[in-house]
């Protein structure tokens, strides 16, 4: 049996105060934190907020603090953690609710600083070569 202590807080709700809420789940073979969080949301608490996109450890959207260290929920196996697991949102980002943070502002800022797009040398691109 796993015990999850999850930071709960919704800054958009004036009545909400930051607190830890505990959930218990039976561990299954190959369970990741992502799977556990989905089970908690589906079976125990549909109000739990967390993020995911790719489920493959590529996008980083499921990043959170796991037992005091940053990690990805989709890549972290519960079998590699102790029976009591604490989860909190990443502290460097704007909190949306619970474990959900706004990574969009950071990604946009990083994109604008790095400019990861093709830069032309003042010439129009010849798109006919692509056909």
């Amino acid at each position: 049996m796993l015990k999850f202590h999850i930071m709960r807080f919704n800054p958009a709700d004036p009545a909400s105060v930051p607190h830890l809420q505990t959930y218990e789940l039976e561990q299954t073979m190959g369970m990741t934190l992502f799977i556990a969080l989905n089970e908690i949301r589906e079976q125990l608490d549909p109000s739990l907020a967390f993020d995911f996109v790719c489920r493959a450890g590529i996008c980083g959207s499921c990043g959170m603090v796991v037992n005091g260290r940053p990690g990805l929920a989709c890549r972290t196996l519960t079998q590699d953690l102790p029976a009591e697991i604490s989860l909190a949102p990443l502290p460097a980002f704007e909190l949306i609710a619970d474990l959900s943070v706004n990574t969009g502002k950071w990604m946009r800022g990083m994109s604008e600083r790095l400019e990861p797009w093709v830069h032309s040398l003042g010439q129009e691109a010849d798109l006919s070569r692509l056909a």
Side-chain angles (χ1 to χ4, degrees):
M1 193 59 102
L2 297 172
K3 193 178 279 193
F4 295 88
H5 306 286
I6 300 176
M7 175 62 94
R8 302 295 309 268
F9 178 55
N10 182 353
D13 179 1
S16 180
V17 294
H19 66 283
L20 289 176
Q21 189 163 347
T22 301
Y23 303 94
E24 289 189 5
L25 272 184
E26 192 167 327
Q27 181 165 279
T28 59
M29 189 63 124
M31 178 183 270
T32 62
L33 287 176
F34 169 76
I35 292 169
L37 288 168
N38 269 314
E39 284 191 27
I40 290 170
R41 186 162 56 189
E42 289 172 7
Q43 299 172 14
L44 304 173
D45 189 347
S47 72
L48 179 62
F50 63 94
D51 297 320
F52 68 94
V53 175
C54 73
R55 295 176 45 184
I58 297 169
C59 72
S61 68
C62 65
M64 59 188 64
V65 178
V66 181
N67 290 344
R69 300 185 64 133
L72 296 176
C74 69
R75 302 292 287 173
T76 305
L77 293 170
T78 56
Q79 68 192 27
D80 296 338
L81 299 171
E84 293 211 19
I85 302 165
S86 62
L87 302 175
L90 290 172
F93 298 95
E94 174 189 355
L95 180 66
I96 296 171
D98 303 332
L99 302 172
S100 179
V101 295
N102 186 348
T103 57
K105 286 181 182 178
W106 182 85
M107 290 291 216
R108 182 176 180 89
M110 182 66 71
S111 176
E112 289 171 352
R113 283 191 298 281
L114 295 177
E115 298 181 2
W117 49 83
V118 176
H119 295 265
S120 67
L121 300 173
Q123 304 169 16
E124 287 293 317
D126 182 7
L127 299 179
S128 66
R129 296 184 335 190
L130 298 176

